[in-house]
Amino acid sequence: MTKKIKKPVIAGNWKMHKGPAATREFALALAPLIPKGSGATIILFPPAISLTTALSTLEETGIAEQVEVGAQNIHWEDEGAFTGEISAEMAREVGASYALIGHSERRHLFGETNDETSLKVRAALQNELRPMICVGETKEEREEGRLEEVITTQLVAAIEGLEKGEIEQIAIAYEPVWAIGTGLTATPDDAAEAHQILRNKLAQAIGTTGAEGVPILYGGSVRPENAADLCAANEVDGLLIGGASLQPESFAAIIEAATKG
Ligand code: PGA
């Protein structure tokens, strides 16, 4: 099978790392490292408190055109008595263009349910944020042969009831839970298998052409050394990177590896 050439989407999920000062330092260091004309869509997901600094520093260094910014999590209401939360509307107001939704740490550490991810996806779309919906199976679920069931249930819950035009706005990140932060990476064939399942499910919802336009990223222990092979796997349209996105050098090396092939 030949792989269709698409513009890869390379996203860095910083999790609970980097306040405003470290964010500024990162953006200043990243600017000269971004490969010129890489053609990649590059997205950073800093902590909410660093969004404004990320955007202003990217602007200052002249790479705001190439690097977009997103929120790691949003609440589904625009405002209200939800201590500690931020809304999609607020993230949009400061200039975010994406929202990460249903990350495995939200699901497994903070008990986020499929129903909540569904509400968040809707809130993101209503506020002109592109939802990047994360799905992935645990080690036990994989061993029990439940990969397809788990990731399609998560995807369907997130997009059920949306209009075709709304589904065309989403991005998906396939992140096997056993590969996140563990140093264990899915093989390119594992990634291709899961991505094909997700692509088929999308095609059922919005047709083949629509489904091909939705980027499906792989995430889980992506490093500069494995980025090219993962990105070259069938149906893999980009990478969502945690640990290795924290250093400008390794993040830039991943962009370079992913765009070379
Ligand atoms: P990792 O995290 O690259 O550190 O495994 C990926 C993620 O959680 O998005």
mmCIF file with all atom_site columns, all heavy atoms in Angstrom, residues 11 18 31 34 37 42 54 62 73 98 101 134 149 155 186 222 227 233 256:
data_model
loop_
_atom_site.group_PDB
_atom_site.id
_atom_site.type_symbol
_atom_site.label_atom_id
_atom_site.label_alt_id
_atom_site.label_comp_id
_atom_site.label_asym_id
_atom_site.label_entity_id
_atom_site.label_seq_id
_atom_site.pdbx_PDB_ins_code
_atom_site.Cartn_x
_atom_site.Cartn_y
_atom_site.Cartn_z
_atom_site.occupancy
_atom_site.B_iso_or_equiv
_atom_site.pdbx_formal_charge
_atom_site.auth_seq_id
_atom_site.auth_comp_id
_atom_site.auth_asym_id
_atom_site.auth_atom_id
_atom_site.pdbx_PDB_model_num
ATOM 1   N N   . ALA A 1 11  ? 1.923   17.808 17.221 1.00 0.00 ? 11  ALA A N   1
ATOM 2   C CA  . ALA A 1 11  ? 1.398   18.534 18.379 1.00 0.00 ? 11  ALA A CA  1
ATOM 3   C C   . ALA A 1 11  ? 2.167   18.149 19.636 1.00 0.00 ? 11  ALA A C   1
ATOM 4   O O   . ALA A 1 11  ? 2.499   16.978 19.845 1.00 0.00 ? 11  ALA A O   1
ATOM 5   C CB  . ALA A 1 11  ? -0.090  18.217 18.553 1.00 0.00 ? 11  ALA A CB  1
ATOM 6   N N   . LYS A 1 18  ? 5.720   23.720 32.568 1.00 0.00 ? 18  LYS A N   1
ATOM 7   C CA  . LYS A 1 18  ? 6.014   25.038 31.987 1.00 0.00 ? 18  LYS A CA  1
ATOM 8   C C   . LYS A 1 18  ? 4.960   26.095 32.322 1.00 0.00 ? 18  LYS A C   1
ATOM 9   O O   . LYS A 1 18  ? 3.905   26.171 31.698 1.00 0.00 ? 18  LYS A O   1
ATOM 10  C CB  . LYS A 1 18  ? 6.205   24.985 30.462 1.00 0.00 ? 18  LYS A CB  1
ATOM 11  C CG  . LYS A 1 18  ? 7.360   24.099 30.007 1.00 0.00 ? 18  LYS A CG  1
ATOM 12  C CD  . LYS A 1 18  ? 7.679   24.334 28.551 1.00 0.00 ? 18  LYS A CD  1
ATOM 13  C CE  . LYS A 1 18  ? 8.614   23.262 28.021 1.00 0.00 ? 18  LYS A CE  1
ATOM 14  N NZ  . LYS A 1 18  ? 9.950   23.282 28.623 1.00 0.00 ? 18  LYS A NZ  1
ATOM 15  N N   . ALA A 1 31  ? 11.914  28.962 17.901 1.00 0.00 ? 31  ALA A N   1
ATOM 16  C CA  . ALA A 1 31  ? 11.790  29.738 16.657 1.00 0.00 ? 31  ALA A CA  1
ATOM 17  C C   . ALA A 1 31  ? 12.902  29.439 15.638 1.00 0.00 ? 31  ALA A C   1
ATOM 18  O O   . ALA A 1 31  ? 12.604  29.096 14.490 1.00 0.00 ? 31  ALA A O   1
ATOM 19  C CB  . ALA A 1 31  ? 11.695  31.221 16.974 1.00 0.00 ? 31  ALA A CB  1
ATOM 20  N N   . ILE A 1 34  ? 12.757  25.626 13.984 1.00 0.00 ? 34  ILE A N   1
ATOM 21  C CA  . ILE A 1 34  ? 11.681  25.075 13.146 1.00 0.00 ? 34  ILE A CA  1
ATOM 22  C C   . ILE A 1 34  ? 12.164  24.993 11.709 1.00 0.00 ? 34  ILE A C   1
ATOM 23  O O   . ILE A 1 34  ? 12.592  26.000 11.142 1.00 0.00 ? 34  ILE A O   1
ATOM 24  C CB  . ILE A 1 34  ? 10.419  25.961 13.229 1.00 0.00 ? 34  ILE A CB  1
ATOM 25  C CG1 . ILE A 1 34  ? 9.854   25.852 14.627 1.00 0.00 ? 34  ILE A CG1 1
ATOM 26  C CG2 . ILE A 1 34  ? 9.392   25.562 12.189 1.00 0.00 ? 34  ILE A CG2 1
ATOM 27  C CD1 . ILE A 1 34  ? 8.405   26.146 14.725 1.00 0.00 ? 34  ILE A CD1 1
ATOM 28  N N   . GLY A 1 37  ? 9.789   26.074 5.910  1.00 0.00 ? 37  GLY A N   1
ATOM 29  C CA  . GLY A 1 37  ? 8.892   25.486 4.909  1.00 0.00 ? 37  GLY A CA  1
ATOM 30  C C   . GLY A 1 37  ? 8.605   24.024 5.186  1.00 0.00 ? 37  GLY A C   1
ATOM 31  O O   . GLY A 1 37  ? 8.505   23.220 4.266  1.00 0.00 ? 37  GLY A O   1
ATOM 32  N N   . ILE A 1 42  ? 1.799   22.724 13.136 1.00 0.00 ? 42  ILE A N   1
ATOM 33  C CA  . ILE A 1 42  ? 2.439   22.525 14.447 1.00 0.00 ? 42  ILE A CA  1
ATOM 34  C C   . ILE A 1 42  ? 1.534   23.142 15.516 1.00 0.00 ? 42  ILE A C   1
ATOM 35  O O   . ILE A 1 42  ? 1.063   24.269 15.364 1.00 0.00 ? 42  ILE A O   1
ATOM 36  C CB  . ILE A 1 42  ? 3.833   23.188 14.469 1.00 0.00 ? 42  ILE A CB  1
ATOM 37  C CG1 . ILE A 1 42  ? 4.688   22.636 13.312 1.00 0.00 ? 42  ILE A CG1 1
ATOM 38  C CG2 . ILE A 1 42  ? 4.528   22.962 15.812 1.00 0.00 ? 42  ILE A CG2 1
ATOM 39  C CD1 . ILE A 1 42  ? 5.961   23.425 13.062 1.00 0.00 ? 42  ILE A CD1 1
ATOM 40  N N   . ALA A 1 54  ? 2.473   31.935 25.558 1.00 0.00 ? 54  ALA A N   1
ATOM 41  C CA  . ALA A 1 54  ? 2.858   31.146 24.378 1.00 0.00 ? 54  ALA A CA  1
ATOM 42  C C   . ALA A 1 54  ? 2.520   31.931 23.119 1.00 0.00 ? 54  ALA A C   1
ATOM 43  O O   . ALA A 1 54  ? 3.365   32.118 22.233 1.00 0.00 ? 54  ALA A O   1
ATOM 44  C CB  . ALA A 1 54  ? 2.141   29.796 24.381 1.00 0.00 ? 54  ALA A CB  1
ATOM 45  N N   . GLY A 1 62  ? 8.008   35.652 15.419 1.00 0.00 ? 62  GLY A N   1
ATOM 46  C CA  . GLY A 1 62  ? 7.650   35.530 14.000 1.00 0.00 ? 62  GLY A CA  1
ATOM 47  C C   . GLY A 1 62  ? 7.245   34.122 13.579 1.00 0.00 ? 62  GLY A C   1
ATOM 48  O O   . GLY A 1 62  ? 7.222   33.812 12.391 1.00 0.00 ? 62  GLY A O   1
ATOM 49  N N   . ASN A 1 73  ? -7.541  21.124 28.109 1.00 0.00 ? 73  ASN A N   1
ATOM 50  C CA  . ASN A 1 73  ? -8.815  20.656 28.651 1.00 0.00 ? 73  ASN A CA  1
ATOM 51  C C   . ASN A 1 73  ? -9.737  21.868 28.719 1.00 0.00 ? 73  ASN A C   1
ATOM 52  O O   . ASN A 1 73  ? -9.268  22.992 28.881 1.00 0.00 ? 73  ASN A O   1
ATOM 53  C CB  . ASN A 1 73  ? -8.581  20.094 30.064 1.00 0.00 ? 73  ASN A CB  1
ATOM 54  C CG  . ASN A 1 73  ? -9.852  19.589 30.706 1.00 0.00 ? 73  ASN A CG  1
ATOM 55  O OD1 . ASN A 1 73  ? -10.721 19.015 30.049 1.00 0.00 ? 73  ASN A OD1 1
ATOM 56  N ND2 . ASN A 1 73  ? -9.993  19.809 31.999 1.00 0.00 ? 73  ASN A ND2 1
ATOM 57  N N   . TYR A 1 98  ? -7.205  25.196 19.211 1.00 0.00 ? 98  TYR A N   1
ATOM 58  C CA  . TYR A 1 98  ? -7.544  23.782 19.408 1.00 0.00 ? 98  TYR A CA  1
ATOM 59  C C   . TYR A 1 98  ? -7.904  23.531 20.872 1.00 0.00 ? 98  TYR A C   1
ATOM 60  O O   . TYR A 1 98  ? -7.523  24.303 21.755 1.00 0.00 ? 98  TYR A O   1
ATOM 61  C CB  . TYR A 1 98  ? -6.340  22.877 19.103 1.00 0.00 ? 98  TYR A CB  1
ATOM 62  C CG  . TYR A 1 98  ? -6.106  22.628 17.630 1.00 0.00 ? 98  TYR A CG  1
ATOM 63  C CD1 . TYR A 1 98  ? -5.445  23.564 16.850 1.00 0.00 ? 98  TYR A CD1 1
ATOM 64  C CD2 . TYR A 1 98  ? -6.541  21.456 17.031 1.00 0.00 ? 98  TYR A CD2 1
ATOM 65  C CE1 . TYR A 1 98  ? -5.228  23.339 15.491 1.00 0.00 ? 98  TYR A CE1 1
ATOM 66  C CE2 . TYR A 1 98  ? -6.319  21.216 15.683 1.00 0.00 ? 98  TYR A CE2 1
ATOM 67  C CZ  . TYR A 1 98  ? -5.666  22.158 14.926 1.00 0.00 ? 98  TYR A CZ  1
ATOM 68  O OH  . TYR A 1 98  ? -5.456  21.925 13.596 1.00 0.00 ? 98  TYR A OH  1
ATOM 69  N N   . ILE A 1 101 ? -9.172  16.960 23.923 1.00 0.00 ? 101 ILE A N   1
ATOM 70  C CA  . ILE A 1 101 ? -10.343 16.473 24.658 1.00 0.00 ? 101 ILE A CA  1
ATOM 71  C C   . ILE A 1 101 ? -10.242 14.968 24.882 1.00 0.00 ? 101 ILE A C   1
ATOM 72  O O   . ILE A 1 101 ? -9.924  14.211 23.956 1.00 0.00 ? 101 ILE A O   1
ATOM 73  C CB  . ILE A 1 101 ? -11.643 16.844 23.895 1.00 0.00 ? 101 ILE A CB  1
ATOM 74  C CG1 . ILE A 1 101 ? -11.768 18.378 23.876 1.00 0.00 ? 101 ILE A CG1 1
ATOM 75  C CG2 . ILE A 1 101 ? -12.871 16.202 24.551 1.00 0.00 ? 101 ILE A CG2 1
ATOM 76  C CD1 . ILE A 1 101 ? -12.946 18.935 23.170 1.00 0.00 ? 101 ILE A CD1 1
ATOM 77  N N   . CYS A 1 134 ? -8.884  12.479 21.969 1.00 0.00 ? 134 CYS A N   1
ATOM 78  C CA  . CYS A 1 134 ? -7.934  11.393 22.243 1.00 0.00 ? 134 CYS A CA  1
ATOM 79  C C   . CYS A 1 134 ? -8.687  10.107 22.569 1.00 0.00 ? 134 CYS A C   1
ATOM 80  O O   . CYS A 1 134 ? -9.638  10.122 23.361 1.00 0.00 ? 134 CYS A O   1
ATOM 81  C CB  . CYS A 1 134 ? -7.057  11.746 23.430 1.00 0.00 ? 134 CYS A CB  1
ATOM 82  S SG  . CYS A 1 134 ? -6.163  13.286 23.222 1.00 0.00 ? 134 CYS A SG  1
ATOM 83  N N   . GLU A 1 149 ? -13.310 -2.354 19.882 1.00 0.00 ? 149 GLU A N   1
ATOM 84  C CA  . GLU A 1 149 ? -14.501 -1.966 20.659 1.00 0.00 ? 149 GLU A CA  1
ATOM 85  C C   . GLU A 1 149 ? -14.226 -0.681 21.473 1.00 0.00 ? 149 GLU A C   1
ATOM 86  O O   . GLU A 1 149 ? -15.036 0.260  21.457 1.00 0.00 ? 149 GLU A O   1
ATOM 87  C CB  . GLU A 1 149 ? -14.850 -3.123 21.605 1.00 0.00 ? 149 GLU A CB  1
ATOM 88  C CG  . GLU A 1 149 ? -15.979 -2.844 22.582 1.00 0.00 ? 149 GLU A CG  1
ATOM 89  C CD  . GLU A 1 149 ? -15.775 -3.573 23.910 1.00 0.00 ? 149 GLU A CD  1
ATOM 90  O OE1 . GLU A 1 149 ? -15.322 -4.743 23.899 1.00 0.00 ? 149 GLU A OE1 1
ATOM 91  O OE2 . GLU A 1 149 ? -16.043 -2.960 24.948 1.00 0.00 ? 149 GLU A OE2 1
ATOM 92  N N   . LEU A 1 155 ? -14.688 7.013  20.181 1.00 0.00 ? 155 LEU A N   1
ATOM 93  C CA  . LEU A 1 155 ? -14.867 7.934  19.048 1.00 0.00 ? 155 LEU A CA  1
ATOM 94  C C   . LEU A 1 155 ? -16.348 8.225  18.800 1.00 0.00 ? 155 LEU A C   1
ATOM 95  O O   . LEU A 1 155 ? -16.749 9.387  18.658 1.00 0.00 ? 155 LEU A O   1
ATOM 96  C CB  . LEU A 1 155 ? -14.218 7.352  17.772 1.00 0.00 ? 155 LEU A CB  1
ATOM 97  C CG  . LEU A 1 155 ? -14.448 8.183  16.513 1.00 0.00 ? 155 LEU A CG  1
ATOM 98  C CD1 . LEU A 1 155 ? -13.834 9.576  16.648 1.00 0.00 ? 155 LEU A CD1 1
ATOM 99  C CD2 . LEU A 1 155 ? -13.880 7.486  15.272 1.00 0.00 ? 155 LEU A CD2 1
ATOM 100 N N   . ALA A 1 186 ? 3.895   1.931  20.339 1.00 0.00 ? 186 ALA A N   1
ATOM 101 C CA  . ALA A 1 186 ? 3.223   1.027  19.410 1.00 0.00 ? 186 ALA A CA  1
ATOM 102 C C   . ALA A 1 186 ? 4.123   0.892  18.178 1.00 0.00 ? 186 ALA A C   1
ATOM 103 O O   . ALA A 1 186 ? 4.836   1.831  17.831 1.00 0.00 ? 186 ALA A O   1
ATOM 104 C CB  . ALA A 1 186 ? 1.875   1.625  19.014 1.00 0.00 ? 186 ALA A CB  1
ATOM 105 N N   . VAL A 1 222 ? 6.495   8.979  21.650 1.00 0.00 ? 222 VAL A N   1
ATOM 106 C CA  . VAL A 1 222 ? 7.123   9.396  20.389 1.00 0.00 ? 222 VAL A CA  1
ATOM 107 C C   . VAL A 1 222 ? 8.434   10.112 20.725 1.00 0.00 ? 222 VAL A C   1
ATOM 108 O O   . VAL A 1 222 ? 8.494   10.911 21.649 1.00 0.00 ? 222 VAL A O   1
ATOM 109 C CB  . VAL A 1 222 ? 6.204   10.349 19.587 1.00 0.00 ? 222 VAL A CB  1
ATOM 110 C CG1 . VAL A 1 222 ? 6.927   10.884 18.359 1.00 0.00 ? 222 VAL A CG1 1
ATOM 111 C CG2 . VAL A 1 222 ? 4.913   9.640  19.195 1.00 0.00 ? 222 VAL A CG2 1
ATOM 112 N N   . ALA A 1 227 ? 10.020  8.837  15.273 1.00 0.00 ? 227 ALA A N   1
ATOM 113 C CA  . ALA A 1 227 ? 8.993   9.690  14.662 1.00 0.00 ? 227 ALA A CA  1
ATOM 114 C C   . ALA A 1 227 ? 8.811   9.418  13.167 1.00 0.00 ? 227 ALA A C   1
ATOM 115 O O   . ALA A 1 227 ? 7.669   9.359  12.677 1.00 0.00 ? 227 ALA A O   1
ATOM 116 C CB  . ALA A 1 227 ? 9.352   11.161 14.885 1.00 0.00 ? 227 ALA A CB  1
ATOM 117 N N   . ALA A 1 233 ? 3.701   5.386  8.791  1.00 0.00 ? 233 ALA A N   1
ATOM 118 C CA  . ALA A 1 233 ? 2.741   4.263  8.816  1.00 0.00 ? 233 ALA A CA  1
ATOM 119 C C   . ALA A 1 233 ? 1.443   4.678  8.146  1.00 0.00 ? 233 ALA A C   1
ATOM 120 O O   . ALA A 1 233 ? 1.064   5.859  8.159  1.00 0.00 ? 233 ALA A O   1
ATOM 121 C CB  . ALA A 1 233 ? 2.475   3.849  10.259 1.00 0.00 ? 233 ALA A CB  1
ATOM 122 N N   . GLU A 1 256 ? 11.152  17.667 12.096 1.00 0.00 ? 256 GLU A N   1
ATOM 123 C CA  . GLU A 1 256 ? 12.016  17.431 10.949 1.00 0.00 ? 256 GLU A CA  1
ATOM 124 C C   . GLU A 1 256 ? 11.898  15.983 10.454 1.00 0.00 ? 256 GLU A C   1
ATOM 125 O O   . GLU A 1 256 ? 11.737  15.735 9.260  1.00 0.00 ? 256 GLU A O   1
ATOM 126 C CB  . GLU A 1 256 ? 13.459  17.741 11.335 1.00 0.00 ? 256 GLU A CB  1
ATOM 127 C CG  . GLU A 1 256 ? 14.376  17.596 10.167 1.00 0.00 ? 256 GLU A CG  1
ATOM 128 C CD  . GLU A 1 256 ? 15.580  18.549 10.214 1.00 0.00 ? 256 GLU A CD  1
ATOM 129 O OE1 . GLU A 1 256 ? 15.775  19.199 11.258 1.00 0.00 ? 256 GLU A OE1 1
ATOM 130 O OE2 . GLU A 1 256 ? 16.283  18.598 9.211  1.00 0.00 ? 256 GLU A OE2 1
#
